[in-house]
Amino acid sequence: MNSSFQIGKIMGIPIKLHWTFLFIILVVAWSFGSSSLPWFGNTYGFGNVEPLSVRWIFSIAFAILLFICVGLHELGHSFVAKKQGVEIKSITLYFFGGVAAMDEIPRDSKLELRMAFAGPLTSGIIGLVSLLIAVLSSSMFGPKQPFTIFFWTLGWMNLILMIFNLIPAFPMDGGRVLRAWFAARMPYAKATRKAAEIGRMFAILMFFLGLFTLNFFMLFIAFFVYMGASEEEKATTINITLEGIKVRQIMSSDVRTIDPAMTLKEIKDLMFHEKHRGYPVVEGGELLGIVTITDLQKVPEEKRDITRAGDVMARKLYVIAPEEEASVAMKMMNESAVRRLPVMDAGRLVGIVSREDLVRAIELCSEQGL
Ligand code: ZN
């Protein structure tokens, strides 16, 4: 994704920041810098710290450290995942949390349970350690010291992060815990459906709670949870439906390829006759790119008989092997936002698999009740 940038690597995992993150650092710093709440004998928030310069330095440092803690939470999940051989592609920090992009989690409820718990556990440990530092600092320097307030606030925020993530609803960790719990007792698809149902119930509950208390944050989370639950359910259903189906079985194998010298006008005629929406461009047996109807539409009508396939084709290619699972093709298409993938076997183009092929396969399989 272009909207996030990499800041480094930890345990071999690229850590990325989403651009909204920079904005949110300021919002978090502002909200903690402008509020102050007596909380169990100490203070939560930097609103009373004087002078102003110290208040804002602490607030900004706090915001940054808080997001490092969010990152550590994600690393907690990733650590357990990696130990079990699940590959983590990257961790992206968004505005109210992190997302670890990983390979599909093996359908092993014990592993899922451990992975799901690892994040909140990390937050819980950081929270308790921070509170301990705050208590020590409070007895040594006093409860009103910025240093004490800093760790007191950080400790509670991490505990809140832990509790928040344990809400038993997708896409929270608690949702995964719930699914793992159900999955140990029933088929995976049914477990996902049940967990998603409970997630949606929670979302509706939160929505009304947010509405009555005019808490916009709560409304936002309700929306997020509702969407997350439905998405998780859909993705799992598709994966289970496509299970065991190989790309080879659903691809179109008599691929019409075109020459890079072919003009767009000729390609358009071809699309009309053959009702395909994209063609692989091949020269001397080598796949060079792919031309789709979208590439064609970018060129004005009057220029289409002088523009050639080679000029407009997408050169960045996502290809897939015939023996790969169909669900992998689906995932690749979603991630790279393309509608068709050339199927390559030992450097040779053997077919093309499109989104339509996948949809058809899903429809046919669910028809058979598989
Ligand atoms: Zn988590």
Side-chain angles (χ1 to χ4, degrees), residues 41 57 80 114 216 229 355 361:
I57 286 170
V80 174
R114 269 204 303 262
F216 288 102
R355 210 171 266 270

Side-chain angles (χ1 to χ4, degrees), residues 153-347:
T153 311
L154 190 70
W156 282 105
M157 271 313 287
N158 270 287
L159 292 185
I160 289 169
L161 201 64
M162 176 185 81
I163 292 165
F164 177 67
N165 270 288
L166 286 175
I167 295 175
F170 287 124
M172 306 300 168
D173 300 328
R176 287 174 206 295
V177 170
L178 192 67
R179 189 213 348 234
W181 190 82
F182 281 132
R185 285 157 185 82
M186 59 186 82
Y188 197 76
K190 203 174 166 201
T192 304
R193 203 158 51 233
K194 273 204 128 168
E197 266 165 25
I198 292 177
R200 276 193 290 264
M201 261 163 48
F202 253 94
I204 292 168
L205 215 70
M206 273 194 273
F207 176 81
F208 282 111
L209 211 63
L211 209 59
F212 290 133
T213 56
L214 287 179
N215 186 334
F216 288 102
F217 185 67
M218 181 100 72
L219 288 178
F220 183 72
I221 300 291
F223 180 73
F224 182 74
V225 167
Y226 195 92
M227 299 303 287
S230 306
E231 239 158 65
E232 181 75 33
E233 188 180 5
K234 214 170 89 193
T236 308
T237 310
I238 287 174
N239 277 336
I240 289 177
T241 311
L242 288 177
E243 191 145 82
I245 296 179
K246 306 274 186 222
V247 169
R248 179 191 295 286
Q249 291 168 269
I250 59 166
M251 69 182 191
S252 323
S253 45
D254 56 344
V255 195
R256 151 86 78 155
T257 63
I258 56 173
D259 195 81
M262 200 171 193
T263 67
L264 295 192
K265 194 168 177 299
E266 290 168 320
I267 296 172
K268 191 184 171 189
D269 291 341
L270 209 59
M271 284 177 177
F272 254 120
H273 284 118
E274 299 186 340
K275 300 180 182 68
H276 286 319
R277 301 166 64 91
Y279 291 98
V281 183
V282 171
E283 190 177 40
E286 194 196 342
L287 177 66
L288 299 179
I290 199 159
V291 171
T292 65
I293 200 160
T294 324
D295 301 321
L296 199 100
Q297 282 161 347
K298 282 180 200 152
V299 179
E301 190 83 48
E302 65 272 16
K303 286 194 176 158
R304 287 192 192 154
D305 51 356
I306 51 164
T307 313
R308 301 185 183 279
D311 305 327
V312 297
M313 66 186 182
R315 287 167 193 277
K316 191 177 178 202
L317 283 180
Y318 301 91
V319 298
I320 193 158
E323 293 313 316
E324 197 64 82
E325 294 275 339
S327 61
V328 176
M330 176 70 113
K331 218 171 132 210
M332 276 177 78
M333 284 185 205
N334 288 339
E335 278 169 9
S336 49
V338 295
R339 300 191 60 87
R340 54 188 64 69
L341 300 170
V343 184
M344 303 286 286
D345 195 7

Side-chain angles (χ1 to χ4, degrees), residues 130-175:
S130 300
L131 291 184
L132 191 69
I133 296 174
V135 168
L136 288 176
S137 161
S138 178
S139 64
M140 282 160 71
F141 310 111
K144 294 225 165 5
Q145 279 300 312
F147 190 76
T148 307
I149 297 173
F150 189 90
F151 281 99
W152 193 245
T153 311
L154 190 70
W156 282 105
M157 271 313 287
N158 270 287
L159 292 185
I160 289 169
L161 201 64
M162 176 185 81
I163 292 165
F164 177 67
N165 270 288
L166 286 175
I167 295 175
F170 287 124
M172 306 300 168
D173 300 328

Side-chain angles (χ1 to χ4, degrees), residues 73-74 77 98 115-116 118-120 165 171-173:
H73 172 110
E74 291 308 318
H77 290 301
M115 270 180 61
N165 270 288
M172 306 300 168
D173 300 328

